[in-house]
Amino acid sequence: MTQRRGRSAHHSIKMAGFRDDQKCTFPLQSIQDVVKLFRIELERGDEPNLALLSIVVGSVENLLTCNRYLSPRNETESEQNVKPNFPILELSTVEALYCKFESQIKGCVDVTQYRGNSYASRELVKKTSDIIWSSLTRSYCKDRAHLQTLYSYLTGEKNFASDLQHDCSWLLKLERVATQKAGSKKDLLSERERGSWRYPILMATQGNKLDCFGVAFAVVAACQILGYSDVHLALSEDHAWVIFGKDGEETAEVTWHGKGNEDKRGQPVCGPTAQKSWLYLNGHPVKCNRHTEVAALVSGINPSISATADSKELATLQQKLLWLLYDQGDLKNYPMAIGNLGDLEEINPTPGRSSPIDLFHQAIFAAQTHYANHHVYPYTYLGGFFYRNGQYKDALEAWANAADVIRKYNYGREDEEIYKEFLEIANDLIPHLVKVVSNQAIEAPEKAESNCLHDPQCFAHLLRFYDGLCAWEEESSTPVLHIGWARPLVATISKFPAKTRSHVDIKISEEKEEKVDDEKNGSVNRRHSHGRRDSLQKNDVKNEEDIVKTKVNGSTNVSDKKAGKMKKKLLKKISADAEAESVHQAKTQGDGQDTEFLHSLVTNYDPSEAPHPNIAALAAACSDNILNPDYLLGSGEPFSSRSSSSPSSSGDCRDLLSSQSNGAPFPGLTVEAMLKADSPALLTHGDGNDELGSTAEHTSVTLSSQKMTGLKELLLTEKLNTSAIQLQLTAQSQVQIVKRGRHSSEFDFVTTGRTTKRSRRE
């Protein structure tokens, strides 16, 4: 009887529809075997079987990471000391898990209710997601590692994986439970066909675990099993949902995001939810086909064994599978997968393949071409590569470009991942970069002038980076920059010398200039209003004069006391106006006299005539030391002796006043330049920028955020006002406080922790 049940179970497994070319690859004993299976699925005429590939990937990942023990000695040593140990994956294990998933989906969804249309309906998508959602355990952290495949969903708790090794013993147990419920074998098959096998299946799948992406992928795989080929994944850089219908015009949420348990399944992704939201890429997600969904599955492989060790075999498998997809053109519109491949190539380069930097640039090109430059991570991939290789100027430029992308969005509470990405760049990577460069300047002073702290372009990249973050904050319901951001920025800016900062021409975008013009027009209008008030006051004075004159002539009824007060007020007003007018005239005459005097000095100067003795004496004494530095240290005379009374001093004065250089007195000097000069050195050496101009070039940067444009003057001063900069950056006046009502379908946040979805390498 037991053997009969075994044969019947094996017969039911064959109903899964595995083909001979799929079975011939089993057992999977090496990386090449897994790659061969994926190549068969990708090159077949029909769609690749998402459920099969997800189970295979999850099984291999679980055996190479979760069930792999590393001694403390191995964790501290090189990964080369970890012996290669690729698991053997049997066909029976994969078939049993696939049959379980297929039976669960077909047993819970009556497709006859949805056959009225050749495309999937929102009700069908909602029903399928409910099946996956209802079978998940609620007592675990949902965004842990290794929970993105159907393997983690189907294996459940404890020793389920070991049970599968004993010739489908799980399926035999499941049929035994179902037989007791149905009464006989014949009744069991009929009930299975009618789709009433729901209870024992759901009972056997308690404790299943999936992360956010895993739920969405499971829904798409389930719809494929049901025969709906129009249901596909839509991927942002931190979220996943589904598209369906003709040409993928319909959208639906099928999973959660972040720390909350918000139940949004079935709701469309549109309107205010997706508008200017990084989580939904503002309408520019990766709309997958079946091959792109396989690429998403491969890109989600996590080789980490622990916080300090990775599985070399699993990373190699991921790298080879990504190259397989790359060669078939399945990554050309998937920037994040290309970035993952670039990271893997940096660690373990493949001979004859593209370099990591080429792959990162390809990812950026894909984001610009297919998604209107709305993806941030391609730039952070490139910036991290430059940072790790000591190309700090290029890293700052890449991070600034990433900030230029994030300025297109408004910050929201669900943007936690990208917030942490920029926080790490601003508070960890950039300060460490500055520290390394500063130490290099101390160790090699002769190379100090060539590092990025003396490069105006690096300072411009830094300003553009923070300008993007401030623009991201504007019109958002939540502030981004707090004091924890402002202090590292001020510390970084202070490392740039004043002469470097002065070579950056800070411009304001046209939109901000229009706002400034509007403010100026408002001030002009206010001045006009003040002018109107002054004219009214003058009219009042005139009326008072008329009243006084009328009173004197005796032709009014105003009292003598009131007329006396009005007369005193009038006389006081007239005297004040006369005094102000005299001061204005004196100032005007004085300015004119000064200008005429300076002009006469220039035009009436005779080069052959000896300079005035006072001028010669002044020029000779300019280089004298007034105080003796040795005296301040405890020795010597208080005042130093005159050391520049040599005859050359008068010659220097003659050279200064000579016209032989360019045929004009005061070479290259005008009256305006004399009036604007801040020091005597500027009269003879121009604006003082020639020295820096030989080693650094001028550059410009355009700022658009209100916070950064307000810092324009503060950033270019010789001595930074750190308190004013911090106050300007942390001001919350640009944040639009929007009261957001809670939907009835939203649950409260839970306090469980989470790890980052995209692992970062130091």
Side-chain angles (χ1 to χ4, degrees), residues 284-330:
H284 296 85
V286 178
K287 296 182 179 179
C288 301
N289 54 28
R290 286 289 180 257
H291 286 210
T292 315
E293 287 158 358
V294 175
L297 173 67
V298 175
S299 184
I301 294 176
N302 189 344
S304 63
I305 301 174
S306 65
T308 58
D310 290 345
S311 170
K312 185 176 181 180
E313 302 90 348
L314 191 57
T316 303
L317 173 62
Q318 183 184 28
Q319 187 174 2
K320 290 184 177 296
L321 291 176
L322 285 174
W323 276 123
L324 173 64
L325 292 160
Y326 179 91
D327 293 337
Q328 295 191 1
D330 297 326

Side-chain angles (χ1 to χ4, degrees), residues 459-757:
F459 184 65
H461 294 328
L462 181 68
L463 297 184
R464 189 156 56 91
F465 173 76
Y466 278 96
D467 183 60
L469 297 180
C470 293
W472 183 32
E473 181 187 71
E474 291 183 0
E475 299 181 3
S476 300
S477 58
T478 307
V480 176
L481 301 181
H482 48 71
I483 192 63
W485 292 76
R487 287 174 178 169
L489 170 61
V490 172
T492 301
I493 293 177
S494 63
K495 298 296 183 179
F496 286 87
K499 64 179 182 179
T500 302
R501 290 184 276 112
S502 65
H503 272 59
V504 178
D505 183 15
I506 300 178
K507 300 179 181 179
I508 302 176
S509 63
E510 295 180 358
E511 296 180 359
K512 295 299 178 182
E513 287 181 352
E514 292 177 358
K515 292 183 179 179
V516 172
D517 292 340
D518 293 340
E519 293 178 357
K520 290 182 178 179
N521 293 334
S523 62
V524 170
N525 294 334
R526 287 193 294 271
R527 286 197 297 270
H528 286 318
S529 63
H530 289 314
R532 287 194 296 270
R533 286 198 297 269
D534 294 340
S535 63
L536 291 177
Q537 291 177 358
K538 291 181 180 179
N539 292 334
D540 293 340
V541 172
K542 185 177 180 180
N543 294 335
E544 291 177 358
E545 293 177 355
D546 295 339
I547 292 175
V548 172
K549 292 179 181 179
T550 306
K551 174 61 182 174
V552 173
N553 296 331
S555 59
T556 183
N557 295 326
V558 180
S559 63
D560 294 339
K561 186 176 181 180
K562 187 174 182 180
K565 291 182 179 180
M566 294 173 65
K567 186 174 181 179
K568 291 180 181 179
K569 185 177 180 181
L570 174 62
L571 294 175
K572 186 177 181 180
K573 177 68 175 175
I574 293 174
S575 61
D577 292 342
E579 183 179 359
E581 183 67 20
S582 62
V583 171
H584 177 70
Q585 291 178 357
K587 183 178 180 181
T588 304
Q589 293 176 358
D591 294 341
Q593 293 175 357
D594 294 340
T595 304
E596 292 177 359
F597 174 73
L598 292 174
H599 187 267
S600 63
L601 288 177
V602 176
T603 56
N604 298 330
Y605 173 71
D606 186 3
S608 61
E609 183 181 354
H612 192 277
N614 291 341
I615 297 179
L618 179 62
C622 284
S623 60
D624 286 353
N625 294 324
I626 305 303
L627 278 176
N628 185 4
D630 295 335
Y631 176 76
L632 298 177
L633 297 176
S635 62
E637 297 296 329
F639 298 98
S640 62
S641 60
R642 298 177 60 88
S643 59
S644 58
S645 59
S646 60
S648 61
S649 60
S650 59
D652 295 338
C653 182
R654 291 177 182 273
D655 293 337
L656 174 64
L657 303 178
S658 174
S659 61
Q660 297 176 359
S661 60
N662 57 2
F666 295 94
L669 189 64
T670 62
V671 176
E672 291 78 4
M674 293 175 62
L675 295 176
K676 292 181 180 179
D678 294 331
S679 65
L682 296 179
L683 296 176
T684 57
H685 298 288
D687 59 356
N689 292 331
D690 295 337
E691 180 181 356
L692 183 60
S694 60
T695 59
E697 298 180 356
H698 282 76
T699 187
S700 62
V701 61
T702 302
L703 305 180
S704 62
S705 67
Q706 191 158 347
K707 282 187 176 182
M708 291 301 292
T709 54
L711 289 175
K712 177 180 178 180
E713 302 298 332
L714 294 174
L715 295 172
L716 299 180
T717 57
E718 183 174 357
K719 185 177 180 181
L720 294 174
N721 189 338
T722 58
S723 299
I725 294 175
Q726 291 179 5
L727 182 62
Q728 173 72 7
L729 284 175
T730 56
Q732 299 184 12
S733 57
Q734 307 308 317
V735 178
Q736 181 180 1
I737 305 299
V738 179
K739 293 184 178 180
R740 180 178 178 272
R742 290 184 58 186
H743 297 287
S744 58
S745 59
E746 292 184 353
F747 294 96
D748 292 332
F749 276 89
V750 294
T751 58
T752 56
R754 63 184 290 235
T755 58
T756 58
K757 294 182 181 178

